[in-house]
Amino acid sequence: MPAPFCLPPYLSARSATETVAACQRLLESDDAAMVDAKRLRFADPFGLAMLGATFHMVRDQGRAVGVCGLSSDMAGYLSRMDVFEGVELVGCAPRPTERHDRRDALVELTLLDKQGGVDDAAYRLATVLAGTDPGEPPDEMSGFTAYDRLVEPIQYALSELLENAMTHARRQGFRYASVWVACQYYRNGLIRLGVVDNGCGFLETLRAHPDLRRETHHEAILIALRPRISCNRDLRLGLDSVNQGVGLTTTSRIAGQAGGGLVIVSGNAFHSTTGGSGILGCAAEWQGVAIAMECRRDRLPNVRVRELLPPLDALTSVRLRFE
Ligand SMILES: Nc1ncnc2c1ncn2[C@@H]1O[C@H](COP(=O)(O)OP(=O)(O)O)[C@@H](O)[C@H]1O
Ligand SMILES: [Mg+2]
């Protein structure tokens, strides 16, 4: 195997440039990919999904992947999150962890590569993140339980992000693109999601959109976040929220209302809804879209998804899939 390439200390949305640059380097390396993880200290679901997607793609290129230098804690955690499928761990024994010890808090790296099943997957992931249903009786007025209110916003966000990655990402010759998702609830009350695809990216789907003033990845991310912007231009034909150009806007509003935000990477650009936007450093680029969402679990029950949806055309009737 060639000399190992050293992973950065943080694989996370906060260090998106380093994360994307590391994945890019692995994808563009020759022969077998050997990764030295001795500096790695923290990986969030964004980093896990990026690393898992990258390992998967390197293996699809017919190359072997090996990881050395991992601490036993990191090896245990990353194995628990299923990041090492088909990856050779060299000289690092994962610390044995009880597989189900954090069933209420972790969702392993999951690969979705078939159309359909997005809503089921989103519901399954949302209920894991929401924790155990305390079984409280429903509110008399709305018929919703507090638990329903907790699940609804996160399920909406996951459905929208996964649906986008399974449809838009597969345009422009990227029919076989896949999507990787990982989630975690942290003891400090934060929920973090990572949704990564290796499809065509925002710019390809929005290149012909009249609102795109400059043909750059950064501009494409920014306009995709605006309400009612969709590559599916004839919005009057839309029968559900998938075709309304409101999915990303609403997802970012949900994250904001729940005390967090989104970080979006596509091509050579990134945008954080809580500050920071522009071109990734180190000439880093990701072919596809990678999104991190962060929010506070205790704030989710106060989020009213319906009130956050941008106003819709009077012409269209909207059937919301979380109802
Ligand atoms: N994963 C993705 N890959 C490529 N383009 C995407 C992706 N997600 C969103 N987009 C682009 O952003 C636009 C806005 O997305 P969204 O707000 O969910 O609206 P809609 O899905 O209804 O078009 C999409 O129409 C598409 O052009
Ligand atoms: Mg959408």
Side-chain angles (χ1 to χ4, degrees):
M1 283 215 176
F5 153 68
C6 224
L7 285 180
Y10 298 97
L11 289 173
S12 65
R14 285 208 172 88
S15 43
T17 290
E18 292 75 11
T19 305
V20 175
C23 292
Q24 184 183 11
R25 177 141 177 207
L26 275 173
L27 284 166
E28 289 173 357
S29 60
D30 296 324
D31 306 326
M34 178 51 105
V35 182
D36 185 343
K38 66 170 176 291
R39 292 199 296 151
L40 184 63
R41 287 171 45 201
F42 176 75
D44 71 0
F46 173 90
L48 292 176
M50 287 290 291
L51 193 64
T54 300
F55 285 163
H56 192 108
M57 285 188 274
V58 170
R59 288 201 315 277
D60 272 359
Q61 295 168 355
R63 299 192 283 137
V65 187
V67 178
C68 64
L70 266 176
S71 67
S72 57
D73 275 352
M74 278 309 284
Y77 172 66
L78 294 178
S79 302
R80 168 71 183 80
M81 293 298 272
D82 290 344
V83 175
F84 293 138
E85 215 186 287
V87 173
E88 189 194 352
L89 291 184
V90 182
C92 35
R95 198 163 82 178
T97 49
E98 181 60 45
R99 177 106 192 140
H100 295 302
D101 58 354
R102 302 218 54 209
R103 186 183 281 210
D104 64 333
L106 295 176
V107 183
E108 300 82 11
L109 183 66
T110 305
L111 167 63
L112 294 176
D113 55 4
K114 290 195 190 66
Q115 196 77 43
V118 162
D119 287 346
D120 288 345
Y123 182 72
R124 185 175 57 82
L125 301 179
T127 50
V128 173
L129 291 172
T132 324
D133 183 355
E136 282 162 15
D139 175 75
E140 280 195 12
M141 289 274 282
S142 66
F144 287 117
T145 64
Y147 185 75
D148 295 334
R149 292 219 180 280
L150 184 64
V151 173
E152 184 195 41
I154 207 79
Q155 187 193 346
Y156 177 92
L158 275 163
S159 293
E160 290 299 325
L161 297 179
L162 295 176
E163 189 72 41
N164 282 351
M166 296 298 280
T167 55
H168 302 314
R170 293 179 163 193
R171 299 178 195 272
Q172 312 294 338
F174 283 79
R175 270 177 65 198
Y176 299 106
S178 300
V179 46
W180 289 262
V181 55
C183 319
Q184 185 161 352
Y185 169 64
Y186 293 81
R187 289 184 213 280
N188 64 3
L190 285 177
I191 283 177
R192 291 199 178 107
L193 318 177
V195 178
V196 170
D197 71 59
N198 59 352
C200 63
F202 284 105
L203 182 56
E204 284 311 312
T205 60
L206 293 166
R207 211 179 268 285
H209 199 286
D211 287 19
L212 191 82
R213 288 166 305 147
R214 283 183 305 268
E215 288 196 19
T216 65
H217 292 290
H218 187 238
E219 175 86 0
I221 297 175
L222 295 183
I223 74 157
L225 274 167
R226 286 197 218 141
R228 313 283 291 140
I229 294 281
S230 174
C231 59
N232 195 339
R233 299 254 305 282
D234 195 353
L235 295 176
R236 285 166 307 152
L237 295 178
L239 293 177
D240 60 35
S241 65
V242 174
N243 294 310
Q244 293 293 329
V246 300
L248 269 183
T249 315
T250 312
T251 300
S252 118
R253 289 178 182 176
I254 290 171
Q257 285 244 320
L262 300 185
V263 175
I264 303 182
V265 169
S266 183
N268 64 354
F270 78 102
H271 177 75
S272 163
T273 61
T274 55
S277 186
I279 304 298
L280 293 164
C282 314
E285 265 198 74
W286 179 254
Q287 176 59 59
V289 169
I291 298 185
M293 177 175 174
E294 181 177 290
C295 61
R296 299 202 59 81
R297 182 153 96 175
D298 61 350
R299 302 265 298 264
L300 284 171
N302 304 325
V303 174
R304 297 282 179 273
V305 176
R306 227 163 310 183
E307 289 164 19
L308 296 178
L309 285 166
L312 297 162
D313 253 343
L315 281 170
T316 54
S317 68
V318 177
R319 180 178 56 82
L320 294 177
R321 283 165 300 138
F322 53 85
E323 282 184 328

